Amino acid sequence: MSLALYDTWSRTVRPFAPLQTDHVGLYCCGPTVYDYAHIGNLRTYVFEDVLRRVLMLNGYEVRHIVNITDVGHLVSDADEGEDKMEKGSRRTGKSAWEIAEHYTEAFLSDWRALNLLEPTAWPRATDHIPEQLEFIAALQRKGYTYQTADGLYFDTTRQDDYGHLARLDRAGLRAGTRVAMGEKRDVSDFALWKFSPMNSKRQMEWDSPWGRGFPGWHIECSAMSAKHLGPWFDIHCGGEDHIGVHHSNEIAQTQACHGTRLANFWMHGHFLMLDDRKMAKTDGDFVRLQTLVDQGIDPLAYRYLCLTAHYRSTLRFTEEAITAAQSALDRLRKAYLDWPGGGTADEGFVRRFDAEVGQDLNLPRALAVLWELVRSELPAATRRATVDHFDTVLGLRLAEWQVLAPDIPANVAALLTVREEARAGKNWAEADRLRDALRALGWRVEDSASGQRLSPDEK
Ligand code: AMP
Ligand code: ZN
């Protein structure tokens, strides 16, 4: 097999080869846990999951790290405004720590419902304060920092190629800047450490050689990726919004400290749009995976929808699109269930599928190969074995699907799938909540050794 991936750094699709034979280090910027994830965020994680599965298909062992940002991400990516966690705390009346716990749990439940593979580690920013302090101290020793009244900043003017990832026009940025810079010397400079405000106490704060405060969002990812993968690893991913600020700053810090640009490949998923808007957490009324489940949509139908668009094109979310994805998935499941086991995969189809996914993850073309196979005249057992191979990348859990009695409504079936995920993840509180939700719809669910048993609630 051959694998070529688009690298934002070089702006080209180029052949992928691991830095160390057979091992691939993959770092994906994780959620900021001050609110629920929306289906836009989840599109990015589906893209990264497919990438990981394709790397595995190529025989690589993947060390996959997804961080949890539970401190330091300010309301504006440019170091302005309040910490999102502390703001979330004011909004809900819970402590910043409780907020982080609650939304991390909710995130993990979405993660499992989409059949995303468990990463090797989920490092939390608040568990890596010493590593971040050490990183900042090294930057200071090398002369890359300066202090202002509100924090310690990174001096981006020290690097001629600062912003190369985003092809930043630095002169243009400076000329056009209208934002209040405070004591920042250059518009691109960014906070490594922010001081706690003088007149109020933060819930999340730590002592440092520069004063009590909290880390900047960018240093978290540089420090945690270096700790878990080393300062030069294979692939760093995130959504396209990270190119201009967050990833440019991660690169700047790591280059200053370790002399590397952190990752050999930089890959970015394009946005999910709702009408003509980018879906964003700050909008408030965003669509969650749970919103879809409540409408009778299976989480895996959302996964299927993500596969229908190339990760480097924007995907518009509409009612029609998700309904079409659900019916395509239903058709696929139904066809698959009718096929007997015991066959072997068709080599020609496998080769074509592998070639499509190996060409910068061309999932829309891979799905076309899948449907061609489904409609083909090949023996049913051969089709089943071939689809089993495809599903190692698609992740639609076709082999695990069971028919439910036809009189079970779609929203009940969807809740049951989500509950199965919660059970698999030992999230008993969520499983209980879903049992109550099913009860409210008139269905009783019992757990048995062979899985969940559903019956109409007689009372
Ligand atoms: P956050 O939790 O806001 O830090 O974002 C988590 C991930 O979702 C990051 O990789 C973002 O780049 C990505 N992201 C944010 N909004 C969208 C969107 N509308 N579509 C796709 N990805 C997004
Ligand atoms: Zn990050």
Side-chain angles (χ1 to χ4, degrees), residues 99-399:
I99 298 242
E101 195 56 41
H102 175 76
Y103 290 115
T104 302
E105 275 309 313
F107 179 75
L108 295 180
S109 142
D110 288 349
W111 186 276
R112 294 187 199 106
L114 287 169
N115 196 24
L116 304 174
L117 298 175
E118 189 72 13
T120 316
W122 293 105
R124 284 169 207 257
T126 52
D127 288 337
H128 291 75
I129 301 296
E131 288 84 351
Q132 296 172 64
L133 290 175
E134 215 171 283
F135 206 119
I136 300 170
L139 291 174
Q140 186 175 38
R141 281 196 301 276
K142 290 171 191 264
Y144 281 92
T145 65
Y146 62 89
Q147 191 162 333
T148 71
D150 71 355
L152 194 73
Y153 281 79
F154 186 93
D155 179 359
T156 57
T157 61
R158 290 280 314 271
Q159 290 169 326
D160 291 341
D161 58 349
Y162 172 81
H164 176 79
L165 182 77
R167 306 296 191 262
L168 279 187
D169 166 15
R170 303 206 64 192
L173 259 182
R174 284 185 196 124
T177 189
R178 265 170 278 119
V179 292
M181 294 226 304
E183 293 175 52
K184 251 167 50 164
R185 295 182 193 159
D186 187 274
V187 63
S188 302
D189 292 355
F190 57 90
L192 296 162
W193 187 260
K194 279 237 152 176
F195 301 139
S196 295
M198 295 288 223
N199 44 4
S200 64
K201 185 168 162 44
R202 277 178 56 94
Q203 299 175 46
M204 292 175 156
E205 58 177 10
W206 296 265
D207 285 325
S208 85
W210 311 282
R212 198 167 242 291
F214 59 100
W217 170 39
H218 318 301
I219 197 72
E220 297 177 0
C221 282
S222 282
M224 289 191 281
S225 58
K227 173 173 176 183
H228 292 272
L229 299 171
W232 178 233
F233 57 88
D234 296 284
I235 309 176
H236 194 312
C237 293
E240 58 175 327
D241 56 326
H242 285 349
I243 301 171
V245 178
H246 184 49
H247 289 170
S248 289
N249 293 347
E250 279 186 49
I251 291 172
Q253 295 164 146
T254 308
Q255 200 157 292
C257 187
H258 298 290
T260 70
R261 59 181 162 84
L262 195 54
N264 188 14
F265 278 76
W266 285 86
M267 295 181 67
H268 296 95
H270 283 224
F271 263 29
L272 180 81
M273 312 288 282
L274 189 61
D275 304 322
D276 282 327
R277 285 183 295 126
K278 288 180 176 175
M279 195 175 288
K281 285 189 196 175
T282 41
D283 272 356
D285 63 340
F286 52 74
V287 180
R288 290 171 52 195
L289 195 60
Q290 187 60 44
T291 322
L292 300 184
V293 170
D294 292 343
Q295 292 164 8
I297 301 291
D298 188 322
L300 293 176
Y302 179 64
R303 183 177 171 108
Y304 184 94
L305 175 64
C306 292
L307 305 178
T308 62
H310 192 271
Y311 77 92
R312 280 196 294 119
S313 58
T314 46
L315 171 60
R316 206 168 294 280
F317 182 82
T318 61
E319 198 73 34
E320 299 80 64
I322 189 66
T323 310
Q326 178 73 65
S327 70
L329 180 61
D330 291 345
R331 261 184 291 131
L332 184 59
R333 284 170 166 165
K334 202 162 161 299
Y336 181 93
L337 263 180
D338 285 343
W339 299 331
T344 40
D346 179 82
E347 272 182 36
F349 270 101
V350 166
R351 213 174 309 117
R352 284 176 58 201
F353 181 90
D354 289 0
E356 297 297 1
V357 299
Q359 187 54 36
D360 195 30
L361 317 181
N362 199 331
L363 268 297
R365 297 260 292 265
L367 283 183
V369 174
L370 165 81
W371 285 106
E372 192 184 320
L373 171 89
V374 172
R375 296 188 190 109
S376 76
E377 302 287 314
L378 286 172
T382 307
R383 279 184 274 168
R384 183 180 175 116
T386 313
V387 170
D388 282 339
H389 169 81
F390 296 174
D391 207 30
T392 60
V393 172
L394 305 176
L396 297 171
R397 295 202 137 136
L398 293 171

